[in-house]
Amino acid sequence: MPNDCITYQNSGYFSKLIVDYLDQKAELKALYNRFPTVENFKLQIEDKSKNFPIENREILAKALVNQYQKFEISEATLANIELLKDSKTFTITTGHQLNLFTGPLYFLYKIVSVINLTKELKTAYPENNFIPVYWMATEDHDFDEINFFSFKEKKIQWNRESNGPVGRLNTAGLNEVFEQFSSELGIGNNANYLRELFKKSYLEHDSLADATRFLANELFKKEGLVIIDGDDLELKKLFIPYAKNELLQQTSFKKVNETLPLLKEYNVQVNPREINLFYIQDNLRERIILENGNYKINNTQLSFSESEILTELENNPKNFSPNVILRPLYQEIILPNLCYIGGGGELAYWLELKSNFEANNITFPILLLRNSVLIATKKQVEKLDKLGLNWNDIFMSQKQLSDKKTKEFSAFTIDFSEQKTVLQKQFDSLLEIANRTDKSFIGAVKAQEAKQLKGLENLEKRLLKAERKNHTSKLERIFEIQNELFPNKSLQERNQNLASFVSDVDDFESFVRKITAELLPLEQKFSIVIL
């Protein structure tokens, strides 16, 4: 089966904004710094070198060592943390929520994209070091988005209450999730591997942040992945001046609102608030609202005067958490970062933020769309071949695919293009006659032309519908394999968990290695991985 080139632009699964960004449309160029090409990283390195204090490197490395204290750290990761102290070292970063047992597959693809880009950049710029970083979204509070994963068409879910930052959640109750997952896994080496991985991650660690760090570390420690938790006192201290500016000047609100008109043709991903900070405790994450000179914590009785909230910021910076508008700025303040790799939704909100970075004198990173992947088994590929399907076919909507295959199966041509052309020529002649004789007939001729063409289109649709019924069994087999590869008529990577392939791979380490080997982060096309 040929490995067709399915570009992100022609896949049908990305928004107009992301397609236009990938096509480097002129109207979007003011919204980003540099487009992701190997050549453009040279200038990005120069910019970040001038704009990242050496003392921040020491603070970052020390904070990371502290975060890893309770974990067995690989030599590759430990070496990378030490390299962060060197002014010639830079990071490539992705971020993700603390989804239970990684959640959907694109968790893997994000991290693999980061790892592979660091390797590509090391080849291009050997005098520099490039470190892959996974930023854990420990301060998010959207628990309902992360407390489950799908396995064997079942929802494996952690049921509990959560009001504060999810990273601080204790892991109580996950033993019940383990029992449910374990019973579904079945037998075999892969099932045992996944069972043990879940158990060690979630039943042997006290917080969701620690559990997620262990899990990601187990999957990628040989690649030197560095995992960072932004919910850290020493790192938050670096953010104090910028949080103070946010409280007093509301710069991000002003700058992002200035940018939004440039995105008027698109669906805006997020809208800024007047203050884009949360106040957090273990069981609290609420917006800070400025009312009549006082800083109120939404849905609580807490209130601060200006001097009081600035004192609180100085004394307890860990109680202040950036929202989706400010979190990227915080990230780029504490990391010597060159590039952020994310999904389409993430890049959409990053494209709102460049002016705020400029106002804060922080280098805006290169934005790269993460790799997207379709995984198929050899048995599925054989089915596709027997059905005469290629990869372009399988990415079509079912309506498009049904129409295409029905026309191919039909013993006669279901295409009235020739008849439409003949009809249009006839009406062109009638319009010419009307122009020469009585121009009042022009409207009547055009109306009749539209009616006749519409009639032909309706006949074509009726014929196609009738012929579709004659090939129902073939089409059902086509839809069956398409639904396997695109569950819920959506991308596999947004639905399935890594455990979905428990019976399709020899072992999970080789599974992750195979994905890592085949993804090319700077290519704008789907990777087709055959197991």
Side-chain angles (χ1 to χ4, degrees):
M1 183 174 184
N3 194 348
D4 310 323
C5 179
I6 313 295
T7 67
Y8 298 144
Q9 293 97 314
N10 67 21
S11 70
Y13 284 97
F14 292 90
S15 69
K16 183 179 186 301
L17 175 60
I18 297 306
V19 168
D20 285 354
Y21 173 67
L22 294 176
D23 288 338
Q24 301 182 62
K25 291 288 181 70
E27 54 267 33
L28 292 178
K29 289 194 174 178
L31 302 179
Y32 59 91
N33 195 6
R34 296 183 178 92
F35 194 75
T37 64
V38 169
E39 296 75 20
N40 279 344
F41 275 93
K42 183 177 188 297
L43 293 172
Q44 194 72 17
I45 289 168
E46 291 174 5
D47 279 2
K48 195 67 179 182
S49 296
K50 297 171 186 173
N51 200 12
F52 193 78
I54 191 69
E55 56 268 25
N56 286 24
R57 291 179 175 277
E58 293 287 339
I59 293 167
L60 173 63
K62 185 177 179 180
L64 285 166
V65 169
N66 288 337
Q67 289 182 17
Y68 272 95
Q69 272 186 344
K70 297 181 289 184
F71 298 85
E72 182 182 328
I73 186 169
S74 70
E75 288 185 13
T77 298
L78 187 60
N80 279 343
I81 291 174
E82 185 64 24
L83 278 173
L84 286 169
K85 299 176 184 178
D86 187 335
S87 63
K88 289 189 174 294
T89 299
F90 301 92
T91 62
I92 305 296
T93 302
T94 192
H96 198 67
Q97 295 171 298
L98 307 190
N99 292 75
L100 189 61
F101 208 53
T102 76
L105 280 164
Y106 63 77
F107 169 88
L108 297 180
Y109 306 154
K110 278 183 164 185
I111 294 176
V112 170
S113 298
V114 164
I115 289 167
N116 285 351
L117 182 56
T118 60
K119 293 175 181 177
E120 194 168 344
L121 291 176
K122 184 62 178 175
T123 299
Y125 305 102
E127 67 277 14
N128 293 110
N129 307 303
F130 305 95
I131 310 301
V133 171
Y134 161 43
W135 178 289
M136 295 192 296
T138 55
E139 295 180 72
D140 280 5
H141 66 286
D142 297 319
F143 183 64
D144 290 344
E145 293 182 5
I146 67 166
N147 68 343
F148 69 94
F149 63 96
S150 298
F151 178 59
K152 292 184 177 178
E153 299 183 354
K154 293 186 178 178
K155 192 175 184 179
I156 310 294
Q157 188 166 351
W158 182 19
N159 294 308
R160 63 163 296 168
E161 293 294 319
S162 172
N163 297 307
V166 293
R168 300 185 190 182
L169 271 177
N170 66 56
T171 51
L174 278 167
N175 56 321
E176 296 170 8
V177 178
F178 171 71
E179 293 301 328
Q180 182 189 0
F181 180 43
S182 182
S183 66
E184 294 287 346
L185 271 170
I187 60 173
N189 291 337
N190 284 337
N192 291 336
Y193 170 81
L194 293 174
R195 196 175 278 116
E196 195 66 13
L197 183 61
F198 189 102
K199 183 179 177 182
K200 286 184 175 179
S201 299
Y202 294 98
L203 305 190
E204 297 180 13
H205 292 91
D206 295 329
S207 72
L208 186 56
D210 284 351
T212 305
R213 182 186 296 273
F214 179 87
L215 177 60
N217 186 57
E218 281 299 298
L219 292 170
F220 295 107
K221 61 187 176 185
K222 291 180 182 177
E223 300 288 353
L225 180 69
V226 173
I227 301 162
I228 187 168
D229 182 353
D231 191 12
D232 181 289
L233 177 59
E234 296 307 313
L235 298 179
K236 286 282 183 75
K237 286 179 181 177
L238 297 175
F239 189 57
I240 288 175
Y242 304 91
K244 182 178 179 181
N245 178 63
E246 180 69 11
L247 291 167
L248 298 181
Q249 304 298 329
Q250 294 87 56
T251 303
S252 64
F253 178 73
K254 297 168 187 172
K255 291 299 177 182
V256 175
N257 274 323
E258 288 173 9
T259 298
L260 292 183
L262 299 176
L263 290 160
K264 61 185 177 182
E265 292 183 23
Y266 309 96
N267 292 324
V268 173
Q269 191 72 12
V270 293
N271 285 291
R273 299 191 182 277
E274 190 174 5
I275 294 177
N276 292 286
L277 291 169
F278 287 98
Y279 189 79
I280 60 173
Q281 303 285 335
D282 287 352
N283 294 299
L284 174 73
R285 187 177 189 254
E286 291 287 351
R287 291 190 293 119
I288 300 173
I289 300 171
L290 180 59
E291 287 185 1
N292 301 319
N294 286 323
Y295 294 85
K296 296 182 178 180
I297 310 306
N298 197 39
N299 294 321
T300 75
Q301 298 300 313
L302 292 172
S303 181
F304 301 86
S305 67
E306 182 180 294
S307 61
E308 287 171 340
I309 202 161
L310 294 179
T311 300
E312 175 72 357
L313 176 62
E314 289 291 336
N315 294 338
N316 299 296
K318 205 175 175 189
N319 290 346
F320 294 78
S321 174
N323 74 356
V324 66
I325 292 289
L326 273 190
R327 194 273 307 155
L329 184 71
Y330 174 43
Q331 172 190 296
E332 299 299 312
I333 287 163
I334 65 176
L335 291 174
N337 196 49
L338 301 177
C339 174
Y340 183 79
I341 298 180
E346 290 175 281
L347 264 56
Y349 71 72
W350 273 88
L351 288 168
E352 300 177 27
L353 306 178
K354 181 168 173 273
S355 61
N356 188 47
F357 273 72
E358 291 170 344
N360 284 280
N361 196 31
I362 299 295
T363 302
F364 194 66
I366 289 174
L367 303 178
L368 176 63
L369 187 65
R370 65 167 173 81
N371 281 118
S372 276
V373 181
L374 178 64
I375 298 175
T377 64
K378 290 177 182 175
K379 187 180 291 186
Q380 287 171 327
V381 172
E382 288 171 4
K383 279 187 185 178
L384 293 171
D385 283 337
K386 285 180 182 177
L387 291 167
L389 297 168
N390 58 40
W391 294 117
N392 275 304
D393 291 336
I394 214 71
F395 270 82
M396 289 180 176
S397 70
Q398 288 200 345
K399 173 67 168 62
Q400 290 174 313
L401 184 54
S402 174
D403 289 352
K404 180 186 176 189
K405 300 310 288 185
T406 298
K407 290 176 180 179
E408 287 179 12
F409 296 151
S410 180
F412 48 86
T413 302
I414 308 175
D415 184 353
F416 289 180
S417 298
E418 186 178 332
Q419 289 83 351
K420 290 175 190 175
T421 300
V422 170
L423 188 64
Q424 284 176 322
K425 284 181 179 178
Q426 290 174 339
F427 275 99
D428 286 345
S429 297
L430 286 172
L431 282 171
E432 191 176 337
I433 293 169
N435 265 315
R436 289 179 182 177
T437 56
D438 188 345
K439 293 185 179 180
S440 66
F441 283 113
I442 291 175
V445 171
K446 286 186 176 180
Q448 192 60 225
E449 179 184 18
K451 182 179 178 181
Q452 295 289 336
L453 287 172
K454 185 69 176 176
L456 276 177
E457 287 174 6
N458 288 335
L459 287 172
E460 188 177 342
K461 287 176 183 177
R462 287 183 64 181
L463 184 59
L464 184 62
K465 184 178 180 181
E467 190 67 359
R468 190 182 292 122
K469 287 182 180 179
N470 294 332
H471 300 285
T472 299
S473 60
K474 287 182 183 178
L475 292 172
E476 284 178 349
R477 290 198 298 274
I478 287 172
F479 296 152
E480 182 182 348
I481 185 65
Q482 189 186 42
N483 289 337
E484 284 181 24
L485 294 168
F486 292 81
N488 301 320
K489 296 181 175 59
S490 179
L491 288 177
Q492 177 192 77
E493 63 191 36
R494 297 177 187 170
N495 287 274
Q496 294 189 327
N497 179 264
L498 62 89
S500 302
F501 303 97
V502 63
S503 59
D504 299 317
V505 296
D506 294 331
D507 67 87
F508 265 87
E509 286 194 2
S510 66
F511 172 61
V512 175
R513 282 199 303 271
K514 184 175 181 63
I515 290 172
T516 304
E518 298 198 25
L519 301 197
L520 300 170
L522 293 176
E523 289 198 8
Q524 299 172 13
K525 67 176 185 176
F526 269 82
S527 298
I528 311 292
V529 175
I530 312 299
L531 298 181

